[in-house]
Amino acid sequence: MMGDAESAISSYKSALRLDRSLEDVYLFIAFEFQNLQKYGHAARYLRKCLQMNPDNEPALYEMSFCFDVTHKFKAGIRFFNAFLDEQPYSKVAWYTLGHLYSNIKDYHRALEAFDYALVVDDTFAAAWVNKANCLVALEQYKEAIVCYKETFKLEEPDAYSFLYIGECYENLEDHKQAMDYYQKAVE
């Protein structure tokens, strides 16, 4: 809390000497290594955390962040594919795999990953949005609109959702619908 990541890591490691089953301590050590921009060290502790509890969603998101910030997208894809071989029902792992595929512009594989995340949990709004974004990249605007609108059932629509739908309609040359959604975005 005082901004001394090195001392925090030392204190957390002391706690691990007392009890190696402290899952959250591995996560906290990873956070401190991220603060020091030592993402390889952070990933090492996130792996330990995930070995203890593969359902630890914050650890999965942080692992994805480590791959993102270092631009090691292909290494991240390998990690999450291996993880999913063991944990095929992890919606967060499927989601982050889709995100990593999107980063390398492999939108077809990204779509597949987002679809698996939605098979596991069809109320996962972020997966719907990212699936829609992939469809836009593939110029499948009608399908993207359906996905964006699906999020309206799950959470309150925001300006960006309306904007993205407006852009899809504009790309489809349906200017009236585009203007309607742009107006909603402004409001």
Side-chain angles (χ1 to χ4, degrees):
M1 299 296 276
M2 295 169 52
D4 185 356
E6 304 259 349
S7 294
I9 290 168
S10 177
S11 295
Y12 287 133
K13 285 183 177 180
S14 293
L16 287 176
R17 282 191 289 279
L18 299 173
D19 185 354
R20 290 224 171 257
S21 67
L22 299 172
E23 168 191 341
D24 286 341
V25 174
Y26 289 112
L27 185 60
F28 296 147
I29 291 172
F31 288 147
E32 296 304 330
F33 276 120
Q34 287 176 339
N35 289 337
L36 294 170
Q37 298 181 348
K38 294 182 178 181
Y39 301 105
H41 293 314
R44 198 170 313 127
Y45 282 92
L46 291 167
R47 280 185 180 93
K48 290 179 183 192
C49 180
L50 290 169
Q51 286 171 347
M52 294 182 77
N53 179 6
D55 295 325
N56 188 313
E57 290 185 4
L60 288 167
Y61 283 118
E62 293 305 317
M63 183 65 87
S64 177
F65 173 76
C66 287
F67 290 119
D68 272 352
V69 76
T70 59
H71 298 281
K72 293 183 178 178
F73 306 123
K74 290 185 179 179
I77 288 167
R78 284 190 302 276
F79 172 83
F80 280 102
N81 272 314
F83 182 86
L84 286 161
D85 285 344
E86 300 296 319
Q87 303 295 325
Y89 299 106
S90 173
K91 71 179 184 185
V92 174
W94 283 114
Y95 172 80
T96 55
L97 180 63
H99 175 73
L100 291 163
Y101 277 126
S102 292
N103 284 334
I104 63 168
K105 299 187 182 346
D106 188 343
Y107 298 115
H108 292 288
R109 286 194 176 144
L111 278 174
E112 186 176 280
F114 293 132
D115 279 337
Y116 278 115
L118 291 167
V119 165
V120 175
D121 181 0
D122 67 350
T123 65
F124 193 1
W128 283 109
V129 170
N130 282 275
K131 178 180 178 178
N133 292 342
C134 286
L135 290 165
V136 168
L138 294 169
E139 299 180 3
Q140 297 176 15
Y141 303 114
K142 288 180 183 177
E143 296 87 347
I145 291 168
V146 170
C147 291
Y148 287 130
K149 287 183 177 180
E150 192 66 31
T151 66
F152 296 174
K153 299 174 190 173
L154 306 171
E155 58 190 31
E156 191 69 29
D158 62 9
Y160 287 109
S161 299
F162 292 133
L163 173 66
Y164 297 149
I165 292 171
E167 288 173 346
C168 287
Y169 279 119
E170 185 173 354
N171 284 312
L172 291 169
E173 298 186 16
D174 184 342
H175 301 292
K176 170 149 181 18
Q177 286 278 33
M179 287 304 294
D180 288 347
Y181 278 92
Y182 288 147
Q183 185 60 42
K184 288 178 183 183
V186 170
E187 290 168 4

